Amino acid sequence: GSDDDNEGKAGSSGGSAPDKVTYITGFGTFGREAYAYVAQDKGYFSDAGVSVTIQPGQGSAISLAALAGGRAQFAPVDLSSTIMQVGGGKVSGVTAVAAVHQTTDAAVMALADSGISKPADLEGKKIADPAGSVIGALFPAYAKLAGFEADKVDFVNLEPQQLGVNLATGKVDAVGQYRVGRPNIENAVKGKEVVVLPFGKFLTESYGSAVTTTTKIAEKDPDLVRRFTSALLKGMRYAIDHPEEAAAVLAKKHPTVNEKAAAAEIELLGEAVQPKEEGAPIGTMDRERVAGAIKALADAGAVKSGLTPEQLVSFDLVPKS
Amino acid sequence: MLRRVMEFGWPVLGLAAAIGTWALAVVVFDVPEIVLPSPADVLDAFLRVPGYLLGEAVTTLVVIVLGFALAVAAGLLIGVAIAASRIVELMFSPLLVAFNAVPKVALAPLLVVWMGFGQQPKVVMALLVCFFPVVLSVAGGLTSTPVELVELARSLRASRTQTFLRFRFPSALPQIFVGLKVAMPLSAVGAVIGEFSAGDEGLGFVVVQSGANSDTALAFAAIALLGVMSVALFYALVLAERTLLPWVRETTSQR
Amino acid sequence: MLRRVMEFGWPVLGLAAAIGTWALAVVVFDVPEIVLPSPADVLDAFLRVPGYLLGEAVTTLVVIVLGFALAVAAGLLIGVAIAASRIVELMFSPLLVAFNAVPKVALAPLLVVWMGFGQQPKVVMALLVCFFPVVLSVAGGLTSTPVELVELARSLRASRTQTFLRFRFPSALPQIFVGLKVAMPLSAVGAVIGEFSAGDEGLGFVVVQSGANSDTALAFAAIALLGVMSVALFYALVLAERTLLPWVRETTSQR
Amino acid sequence: MIRVRGVSKSFDGRRGTVEALRGIELDVGDGEFVAVLGRSGCGKSTLLRVIAGLLPASAGEVRIADEPVREPRRDVAILFQRPALLPWRSVLDNVLLPIQVHGQPRPEHREAARQLLSTVGLDAPFHRRLPHELSGGMQQRVALCRSLIQRPRVMLMDEPFSALDALTREELCEVLQRVHMEYAATVVLVTHSIEEAVLLADRVVVLSPRPGQVRTVLDVPVPRPRSLGHDAHATELARCRAELHDLLLASHMTGV
Amino acid sequence: MIRVRGVSKSFDGRRGTVEALRGIELDVGDGEFVAVLGRSGCGKSTLLRVIAGLLPASAGEVRIADEPVREPRRDVAILFQRPALLPWRSVLDNVLLPIQVHGQPRPEHREAARQLLSTVGLDAPFHRRLPHELSGGMQQRVALCRSLIQRPRVMLMDEPFSALDALTREELCEVLQRVHMEYAATVVLVTHSIEEAVLLADRVVVLSPRPGQVRTVLDVPVPRPRSLGHDAHATELARCRAELHDLLLASHMTGV
Ligand SMILES: Nc1ncnc2c1ncn2[C@@H]1O[C@H](COP(=O)(O)OP(=O)(O)OP(=O)(O)O)[C@@H](O)[C@H]1O
Ligand SMILES: Nc1ncnc2c1ncn2[C@@H]1O[C@H](COP(=O)(O)OP(=O)(O)OP(=O)(O)O)[C@@H](O)[C@H]1O
Ligand SMILES: Cc1ncc(C[n+]2csc(CCO)c2C)c(N)n1
Ligand SMILES: [Mg+2]
Ligand SMILES: [Mg+2]
């Protein structure tokens, strides 16, 4: 485990023993996840009296299961995902406490030479996307707003790790990807130009991922939640301001990381993280927008309507200016 | 008569015990459905889309059987080559072992890029996952013929082919069947892993799809179907063994 | 002398041939590195972070060995139980087969939830992936003792334990070793699958991470290390077999 | 000691049934030495295995020491037609097997085993060898030692000397007679050799083949120890031999 | 026909070396019948296996029909000490095995096999059974039929009658003599029975044990066909028998 990172840094808040928590990243150890490692490396967590173990994640479903099963206490989970799982009755007892992406980071990427340059070009094309992914779920809503027919697009199931290869070799015309994943895809297709069609352009209400915890923790120890999220978001702030350094921190911890791509991802991340409302802090969440995000998914048929924002977000714990 | 009945009774009892323990565990430890659904949840999930699940099961079954058949063919071929020549053994068996230690999931991208999204990469995956036990048991069986039988073959000046066909192979059959029995469920694993990684058919797809949707109960229903099919295929193999190798039961002591 | 040399020469030749074919294929078919890196790319990737890779390899090695050891223990236990009692066999072997047909990757989330992110779930995964061949070979070996030996045991009024220890078990050993040899690389597969699905250590983690970064060469380097370790473990097993069971080589005909 | 009552045995194979034994009646007294003689395939081994409790009779009953036999007994040693040595055990350990099955072999057991082995002509260098390194006759002698080390009250022996040369056989016949007298053991010896039967047995049971039935029981009224060289009772022995020869021939005629 | 020159054989085991044969010299003429007699473990089987080409000699050379023997030859039939039947083949198919290995069995081969089986006393119902359903002696007879069906020019037989009763043995000795004369086959017969050696062989080679060495070669100057019942040459045969008995005993004394 990565527990050893915490050694030698006594908890400072109140002098009591630090709270031990496990944090699961959104997916793996991409540059877009660097902020947690930065918070760890810079001692923001220990300053906040939290001893954090960071574990690379495997996607929303597994993160939610780990939260529900008590194996992890915090994880950034795509809010759309949470809406669908909670709305479908599969998951309960989890709540979002801070936004990571203010706008959904979902996107579709294609090679420039495939002739795809705008959303409508996707009609009649083959898009690869992992089974059950958020991108696939949001796609109908996106198509509706972007003005083309989702039914005319051919979706194929493909594991996340295979997206780049299959785009590069022309097996598929486009892939579902997070917007920040662009450097990674560019790396995979080796120099060819990549076209990005971000969903956020049309799905303006939808958040991307949000720091999620269990309702139990949110109710029993709101202080822990506040300390943790503020340290995490402090890491985020620092990472966005110092992409190269953040990438280096990540690469030091995980030598498999491509430092250049990671730095580029972090650059891209800043845009999505920045609150749209003037003066609002990173991580802010708005009740109306969450309601809008729910509605967008309900309209797309991805979830039954009737879900309230309070079932998903603990607004009292969300960072406020 | 009672014996016959119990041949079916005991497995049912075993199944009942397993399901009972599972149901109890879910209740006692208050496990959330997303982590471990109860048997009732799984049944519900199955009854929600029985036709769909059975259809996907058939898709997967075809892959399992094809992959297994190819694995048997490949395993026989390689096993025979290894048994026939010390040089082949020395040259290639380390490579085989190394290859077998590769988690085949890691090879999925290659397969998809080469073979696309159809049935083929799944069949190949099933083959790759399950051929090694066949190779080892074939090679092992063929190289442990009792000396007296091989001496008999030599004394008759049997050619290599004849020695193989009439002496080594029949006497290796009991061991080969153990390999086949190990390979059979592995073929199921391979088929499903293949379906995990690409394509939108089969129980494997159902498992990832429902897993990503946190519909663990549906994933379990698919897995249960997979289990049922594998058990049926496994016992078909056991039956084949009994019919084809009557002398084995009578010259060895079962219990 | 020459023989001894060739015992090492042939495998090296085999490896060279394999790597040569691979290198050639990459060049001839102009395969992009992301699909299939050339051997040189893989070597480069290894030399980029050799210390890190070796460290992760050791982590994985420990998991493989622990998982294998537990699988042998569990396999012996279950195999003996199945061989000892027809009722146990009837009740539980279908369940075992069904369980073995479940792709263990599908259970990874469950394991994480039960056991967290440490070494334990990986060891358990290695165990789960590789114990079935051990069970089958133990049960198979124990239930195919030559009748004459079992009659001898009966004629001496050997207790069940004695019959097992002094007659059935030694005569099952050659078959059990085949099971162990199948299980050894599977344990590596299990360990890596475990590392795939949780935690941030081991070669499995390296494979997913580098795969996700489209750094296929690094993934292959990790896989190659895994292969090397498995081959070493496999031949340790072969050596153990030769030393422990000298009579087998002399009463059976290798070739 | 041994009481065989109306024992029949059929084997049900996939290719039909073989009636191996029919209505066998036989009493063997305490300390008596009975030989079972018959042609190849007439059911001698089957009878011995039924008496041993290794094979259930299809009909009838076997009693030893007044207890019905269902499983082999500890006080009965069985010597099989094939040596059935454990291929992974040295010669000495094969001989010690019965001791080990019932407990821990002590030094005196090892001594006894060594003693026995050299009595049958297998000296020290062979004790540590594995069975496959022995000749057929040597293996048979090891099996003989294994059955003798138990000092059994009853010995059931299936052609123990078939793979041995005339001289070794004579020597071992002597050993067996000695053991029989020393331990006061009850012996049932299956043999295909008239010679052996006459030399060793108090009574000879002649089986006629297919199905195996008791044709005659012949007394050999010659005092022990007997030997082939010995000429005192030569005519008596010769008479028995001739009679058995005729009986076997006759059993064959009527039997098939 | 067969020429054995200075053949020695040692086995290197993990527990040291056994010298099984030393400096064996032996010539067997075309159509001659030679018996190899010796005590258990003296190296008879080893010698036969070296002649057969199954075992390489440590020193010396064997030639058959003037060709050095390195591998078994097609015109040589070998009968092993253990029956070595294929457990998955019926009796008939076991007998037909040599034919099948060399080609396709034709109806006349099947007929010949059936004929042979009934000659050795195994009638039709047994032809379709599997070996494990047979008694020890029956298995040995099946193996005999298997070696005879090839109509070999040379027959190397290792104790073919050891598991058979006196009468069956006599019958089969007769069969073997007939075959020997009809096919004009050269026969080397390993046996532990003086009786058998004298009855069948033109010459008897007596081996002394450990290491196996040729002690004497005894001629049996009695015309064929011979039989035990036949009294014409009774004294001659008896003399041979007595002489062999003494030789064996002596070989034992000096040998160990
Ligand atoms: N494979 C082997 N390894 C080691 N020693 C062996 C082997 N085969 C035979 N021997 C030894 O060689 C000697 C001669 O054995 P062989 O089988 O030739 O005897 P034999 O005359 O046929 O005896 P028998 O009449 O008992 O069959 C014996 O001392 C035996 O222990
Ligand atoms: N397991 C079996 N299955 C079927 N038939 C059997 C079985 N064992 C023996 N028989 C048959 O029973 C009969 C008697 O066999 P048994 O072994 O008792 O003969 P035997 O008198 O010991 O002969 P031998 O002197 O040749 O050893 C034979 O006809 C044999 O074919
Ligand atoms: C190479 C690569 N692998 C995984 C992910 C992350 N990811 C996990 S699920 C999913 C699809 C949308 O839900 C994506 C993209 C990535 N970004 N790039
Ligand atoms: Mg018998
Ligand atoms: Mg011999």
Side-chain angles (χ1 to χ4, degrees):
Chain A
S2 9
D3 311 49
D4 37 20
D5 291 44
N6 304 323
E7 269 169 32
K9 293 183 185 171
S12 54
S13 139
S16 61
D19 295 287
K20 279 192 186 323
V21 302
T22 297
Y23 166 89
I24 304 179
T25 69
F27 197 96
T29 58
F30 293 107
R32 69 197 82 149
E33 310 293 347
Y35 60 95
Y37 292 93
V38 170
Q40 175 92 288
D41 189 65
K42 295 282 168 201
Y44 299 159
F45 286 137
S46 43
D47 291 348
V50 208
S51 159
V52 180
T53 303
I54 304 176
Q55 291 292 348
Q58 297 264 339
S60 309
I62 294 177
S63 293
L64 289 173
L67 289 173
R71 280 295 167 180
Q73 285 69 45
F74 296 98
V77 180
D78 199 299
L79 192 65
S80 305
S81 213
T82 314
I83 291 171
M84 289 188 290
Q85 322 279 357
V86 172
K90 301 298 173 201
V91 176
S92 58
V94 297
T95 181
V97 294
V100 177
H101 309 121
Q102 294 296 333
T103 317
T104 181
D105 211 37
V108 165
M109 292 184 196
L111 294 181
D113 55 20
S114 68
I116 297 173
S117 59
K118 56 183 188 302
D121 296 337
L122 291 173
E123 283 186 6
K125 293 292 196 300
K126 191 188 254 183
I127 304 184
D129 187 53
S133 88
V134 168
I135 296 177
L138 290 174
F139 194 78
Y142 169 68
K144 201 148 103 197
L145 294 171
F148 68 96
E149 282 189 51
D151 292 346
K152 292 194 177 157
V153 178
D154 180 18
F155 263 81
V156 290
N157 164 44
L158 199 63
E159 273 183 325
Q161 281 91 339
Q162 297 197 44
L163 296 173
V165 194
N166 280 271
L167 185 64
T169 53
K171 288 277 156 184
V172 295
D173 302 305
V175 297
Q177 245 302 351
Y178 287 104
R179 197 183 49 88
V180 293
R182 177 179 188 150
N184 202 332
I185 293 291
E186 281 172 340
N187 195 24
V189 301
K190 279 267 155 34
K192 292 191 193 140
E193 200 190 327
V194 175
V195 177
V196 182
L197 304 174
F199 289 11
K201 200 169 160 200
F202 296 93
L203 292 168
T204 48
E205 302 285 87
S206 296
Y207 285 91
S209 59
V211 180
T212 306
T213 184
T214 61
T215 45
K216 209 147 125 215
I217 296 172
E219 279 159 18
K220 294 257 168 64
D221 201 351
D223 177 53
L224 169 65
V225 176
R226 287 201 183 90
R227 279 185 283 136
F228 177 85
T229 36
S230 64
L232 181 69
L233 295 175
K234 197 170 164 195
M236 174 73 90
R237 177 86 270 158
Y238 190 90
I240 292 172
D241 293 343
H242 310 88
E244 262 86 30
E245 190 187 338
V249 165
L250 181 61
K252 191 175 89 215
K253 174 74 183 148
H254 290 300
T256 47
V257 166
N258 180 334
E259 213 176 309
K260 261 205 348 255
E265 272 198 11
I266 300 169
E267 301 254 22
L268 287 172
L269 184 63
E271 199 180 307
V273 168
Q274 203 53 55
K276 298 175 178 171
E277 302 87 21
E278 204 55 46
I282 290 183
T284 188
M285 294 185 91
D286 176 62
R287 201 187 169 285
E288 294 311 311
R289 275 193 58 207
V290 174
I294 297 172
K295 188 170 172 306
L297 281 166
D299 289 350
V303 67
K304 295 187 298 259
S305 45
L307 216 55
T308 65
E310 283 73 16
Q311 284 174 279
L312 298 162
V313 183
S314 301
F315 288 103
D316 48 333
L317 294 175
V318 166
K320 294 183 187 66
S321 46
Chain B
M1 190 53 217
L2 190 69
R3 264 191 85 126
R4 284 258 85 140
V5 171
M6 285 328 279
E7 294 247 322
F8 291 91
W10 286 119
V12 171
L13 207 71
L15 188 66
I19 294 181
T21 319
W22 168 14
L24 204 72
V26 170
V27 172
V28 170
F29 299 109
D30 192 20
V31 189
E33 183 182 328
I34 185 177
V35 175
L36 180 64
S38 75
D41 296 335
V42 174
L43 189 66
D44 276 354
F46 175 74
L47 293 176
R48 226 159 58 212
V49 281
Y52 169 68
L53 283 176
L54 291 176
E56 300 306 301
V58 171
T59 307
T60 303
L61 183 63
V62 173
V63 174
I64 296 175
V65 172
L66 282 178
F68 180 73
L70 289 176
V72 172
L76 276 174
L77 219 72
I78 302 176
V80 168
I82 286 180
S85 149
R86 176 107 182 104
I87 293 179
V88 171
E89 182 185 357
L90 283 171
M91 272 180 82
F92 294 112
S93 56
L95 291 174
L96 270 179
V97 174
F99 179 74
N100 196 49
V102 173
K104 299 306 169 304
V105 227
L107 298 182
L110 280 177
L111 290 183
V112 175
V113 170
W114 282 334
M115 290 179 257
F117 298 88
Q119 188 191 47
Q120 209 184 339
K122 284 114 198 169
V123 172
V124 171
M125 188 59 103
L127 157 71
L128 291 181
V129 169
C130 82
F131 86 107
F132 188 68
V134 183
V135 171
L136 270 197
S137 65
V138 168
L142 289 176
T143 52
S144 61
T145 322
V147 259
E148 55 184 55
L149 298 190
V150 175
E151 287 211 328
L152 174 63
R154 280 181 63 206
S155 82
L156 296 174
R157 292 243 72 182
S159 65
R160 283 184 81 110
T161 325
Q162 287 283 351
T163 307
F164 169 72
L165 282 179
R166 305 210 181 266
F167 298 82
R168 287 189 181 271
F169 185 69
S171 99
L173 274 174
Q175 274 207 50
I176 292 179
F177 264 98
V178 176
L180 296 185
K181 286 192 236 163
V182 173
M184 186 80 256
L186 282 181
S187 176
V189 170
V192 168
I193 287 180
E195 292 166 349
F196 273 1
S197 60
D200 53 3
E201 286 191 313
L203 293 178
F205 175 71
V206 175
V207 171
V208 250
Q209 170 90 29
S210 45
N213 290 328
S214 303
D215 194 350
T216 321
L218 189 59
F220 268 66
I223 288 177
L225 267 181
L226 186 74
V228 170
M229 291 194 307
S230 303
V231 170
L233 290 171
F234 184 88
Y235 282 96
L237 221 50
V238 170
L239 198 71
E241 183 184 15
R242 289 208 190 166
T243 349
L244 292 175
L245 318 180
W247 77 90
V248 177
R249 281 175 76 78
E250 289 164 34
T251 55
T252 61
S253 159
Q254 305 293 304
R255 205 148 262 137
Chain C
M1 190 54 216
L2 191 71
R3 262 191 86 127
R4 284 257 85 142
V5 171
M6 285 327 279
E7 294 245 324
F8 290 90
W10 286 118
V12 171
L13 206 72
L15 187 66
I19 293 181
T21 318
W22 167 15
L24 204 73
V26 169
V27 173
V28 170
F29 299 108
D30 192 21
V31 188
E33 181 183 330
I34 186 173
V35 176
L36 180 64
S38 74
D41 296 335
V42 174
L43 190 64
D44 275 355
F46 175 74
L47 293 176
R48 225 160 59 213
V49 279
Y52 171 68
L53 283 178
L54 290 177
E56 301 306 298
V58 170
T59 306
T60 303
L61 183 63
V62 173
V63 174
I64 295 175
V65 172
L66 282 178
F68 180 73
L70 288 177
V72 173
L76 277 174
L77 218 73
I78 303 176
V80 168
I82 286 180
S85 148
R86 176 106 182 104
I87 293 179
V88 171
E89 181 185 0
L90 284 170
M91 272 180 82
F92 295 111
S93 57
L95 292 175
L96 271 179
V97 173
F99 180 73
N100 198 49
V102 173
K104 301 303 171 303
V105 227
L107 299 183
L110 281 180
L111 280 183
V112 172
V113 171
W114 284 333
M115 288 178 267
F117 297 89
Q119 188 191 47
Q120 207 185 336
K122 284 114 195 170
V123 172
V124 170
M125 189 61 102
L127 158 71
L128 290 181
V129 169
C130 82
F131 86 107
F132 189 67
V134 183
V135 171
L136 270 197
S137 65
V138 168
L142 289 177
T143 53
S144 59
T145 322
V147 258
E148 56 185 55
L149 297 191
V150 175
E151 287 209 330
L152 174 62
R154 280 180 62 205
S155 81
L156 296 174
R157 293 243 73 182
S159 65
R160 283 185 81 112
T161 326
Q162 288 282 352
T163 306
F164 169 72
L165 283 179
R166 304 210 181 269
F167 299 83
R168 288 189 180 271
F169 185 70
S171 99
L173 275 175
Q175 273 207 51
I176 293 178
F177 264 99
V178 176
L180 296 186
K181 286 191 235 163
V182 172
M184 185 80 256
L186 282 181
S187 176
V189 170
V192 168
I193 287 180
E195 292 166 347
F196 274 1
S197 35
D200 55 0
E201 289 188 312
L203 293 177
F205 177 72
V206 175
V207 171
V208 246
Q209 287 315 306
S210 43
N213 286 320
S214 305
D215 192 352
T216 320
L218 189 59
F220 269 65
I223 287 178
L225 267 181
L226 187 72
V228 170
M229 292 195 306
S230 303
V231 170
L233 290 172
F234 183 89
Y235 282 96
L237 221 49
V238 170
L239 198 73
E241 183 184 13
R242 289 209 190 167
T243 349
L244 291 176
L245 317 181
W247 77 91
V248 176
R249 280 174 77 79
E250 289 163 36
T251 54
T252 60
S253 158
Q254 305 293 304
R255 204 150 263 133
Chain D
M1 193 68 193
I2 305 176
R3 200 181 273 265
V4 180
R5 283 285 168 277
V7 162
S8 301
K9 176 71 197 175
S10 307
F11 292 100
D12 297 317
R14 288 173 316 132
R15 317 261 189 209
T17 299
V18 182
E19 194 180 355
L21 294 176
R22 185 189 289 172
I24 304 284
E25 302 274 339
L26 178 63
D27 279 339
V28 183
D30 236 337
E32 201 183 1
F33 198 129
V34 168
V36 177
L37 190 68
R39 305 205 56 175
S40 172
C42 74
K44 304 183 292 295
S45 299
T46 306
L47 176 59
L48 204 74
R49 288 150 54 79
V50 171
I51 295 177
L54 285 168
L55 213 58
S58 308
E61 193 197 43
V62 175
R63 286 176 166 264
I64 293 182
D66 259 343
E67 291 157 21
V69 172
R70 295 216 174 73
E71 270 294 302
R73 301 162 52 100
R74 285 231 167 158
D75 53 359
V76 178
I78 305 163
L79 180 64
F80 296 93
Q81 192 165 1
R82 285 192 289 178
L85 302 178
L86 301 184
W88 53 85
R89 280 185 166 238
S90 71
V91 163
L92 191 70
D93 287 342
N94 261 293
V95 174
L96 285 171
L97 181 69
I99 308 288
Q100 280 183 336
V101 164
H102 300 150
Q104 195 56 44
R106 287 188 302 270
E108 70 253 35
H109 290 126
R110 295 188 176 278
E111 198 32 59
R114 288 207 193 83
Q115 200 66 53
L116 272 170
L117 282 168
S118 56
T119 313
V120 303
L122 288 166
D123 30 294
F126 286 102
H127 296 184
R128 307 227 39 81
R129 295 196 178 268
L130 293 178
H132 72 268
E133 298 175 297
L134 303 186
S135 78
M138 290 160 111
Q139 291 179 7
Q140 207 173 32
R141 284 179 272 163
V142 174
L144 179 66
C145 293
R146 182 177 63 194
S147 72
L148 291 180
I149 198 154
Q150 307 177 67
R151 296 181 150 266
R153 286 177 56 208
V154 180
M155 289 201 281
L156 306 177
M157 318 186 98
D158 199 349
E159 311 201 4
F161 309 133
S162 62
L164 299 177
D165 61 286
L167 284 173
T168 312
R169 184 189 299 227
E170 262 175 53
E171 286 167 18
L172 292 191
C173 279
E174 229 173 273
V175 171
L176 188 58
Q177 276 191 70
R178 210 169 58 226
V179 167
H180 166 59
M181 283 164 25
E182 267 176 30
Y183 303 179
T186 310
V187 183
V188 178
L189 174 91
V190 165
T191 179
H192 55 247
S193 155
I194 296 175
E195 215 67 57
E196 223 170 273
V198 167
L199 182 62
L200 290 170
D202 299 318
R203 283 188 298 150
V204 179
V205 178
V206 180
L207 292 190
S208 63
R210 250 170 283 155
Q213 281 172 300
V214 176
R215 179 161 180 88
T216 339
V217 180
L218 184 83
D219 279 303
V220 184
V222 177
R224 293 179 189 277
R226 306 172 192 161
S227 92
L228 285 176
H230 230 263
D231 258 16
H233 301 271
T235 46
E236 188 61 24
L237 286 173
R239 189 191 57 75
C240 286
R241 229 176 279 141
E243 197 167 329
L244 285 172
H245 198 275
D246 293 346
L247 279 167
L248 268 185
L249 207 64
S251 84
H252 184 51
M253 299 302 167
T254 56
V256 182
Chain E
M1 192 68 194
I2 304 176
R3 200 182 272 267
V4 180
R5 282 285 168 276
V7 161
S8 301
K9 176 71 196 175
S10 306
F11 292 99
D12 297 317
R14 289 174 314 132
R15 316 262 189 212
T17 300
V18 182
E19 193 179 355
L21 294 176
R22 183 188 291 171
I24 304 284
E25 302 273 339
L26 178 64
D27 279 338
V28 183
D30 235 337
E32 200 183 2
F33 198 129
V34 167
V36 177
L37 189 68
R39 306 206 54 177
S40 172
C42 74
K44 303 182 294 293
S45 299
T46 305
L47 175 59
L48 204 74
R49 287 151 54 79
V50 170
I51 296 177
L54 285 168
L55 213 58
S58 309
E61 193 197 44
V62 175
R63 287 177 166 265
I64 293 182
D66 259 342
E67 292 156 19
V69 171
R70 295 219 173 72
E71 269 294 301
R73 300 163 53 100
R74 282 230 170 160
D75 53 358
V76 177
I78 306 162
L79 181 63
F80 297 92
Q81 192 166 3
R82 285 192 289 178
L85 301 177
L86 300 184
W88 53 85
R89 281 184 167 239
S90 70
V91 164
L92 191 69
D93 287 341
N94 261 293
V95 174
L96 285 170
L97 181 68
I99 308 288
Q100 281 183 336
V101 164
H102 301 150
Q104 196 55 44
R106 287 189 302 271
E108 70 254 35
H109 290 125
R110 294 186 176 280
E111 197 34 56
R114 287 206 193 85
Q115 201 67 53
L116 271 171
L117 282 168
S118 56
T119 313
V120 302
L122 287 166
D123 29 294
F126 286 103
H127 296 185
R128 306 227 42 79
R129 295 194 179 268
L130 293 177
H132 73 266
E133 297 175 300
L134 303 185
S135 78
M138 290 160 112
Q139 292 180 7
Q140 208 174 30
R141 285 179 273 162
V142 175
L144 180 66
C145 293
R146 183 178 61 195
S147 72
L148 291 179
I149 199 153
Q150 307 178 68
R151 294 182 152 267
R153 284 176 58 208
V154 179
M155 289 201 283
L156 305 176
M157 319 187 95
D158 198 350
E159 312 202 5
F161 308 133
S162 63
L164 299 177
D165 60 287
L167 284 173
T168 312
R169 182 189 298 226
E170 263 174 54
E171 285 167 19
L172 292 192
C173 280
E174 232 173 271
V175 172
L176 188 57
Q177 277 192 69
R178 212 170 56 226
V179 168
H180 166 58
M181 283 164 24
E182 267 176 29
Y183 304 178
T186 309
V187 183
V188 178
L189 175 90
V190 163
T191 179
H192 56 248
S193 157
I194 297 175
E195 215 66 58
E196 224 170 273
V198 167
L199 183 62
L200 290 169
D202 299 318
R203 282 189 300 149
V204 179
V205 178
V206 180
L207 291 189
S208 63
R210 250 171 284 158
Q213 283 171 297
V214 177
R215 177 159 185 89
T216 338
V217 180
L218 183 82
D219 278 303
V220 185
V222 178
R224 293 175 188 281
R226 307 173 192 158
S227 93
L228 284 176
H230 231 264
D231 259 16
H233 302 270
T235 47
E236 186 61 23
L237 286 175
R239 188 192 56 75
C240 288
R241 228 175 282 143
E243 196 166 330
L244 285 172
H245 198 275
D246 292 346
L247 280 167
L248 269 186
L249 207 64
S251 83
H252 184 51
M253 298 303 167
T254 59
V256 180

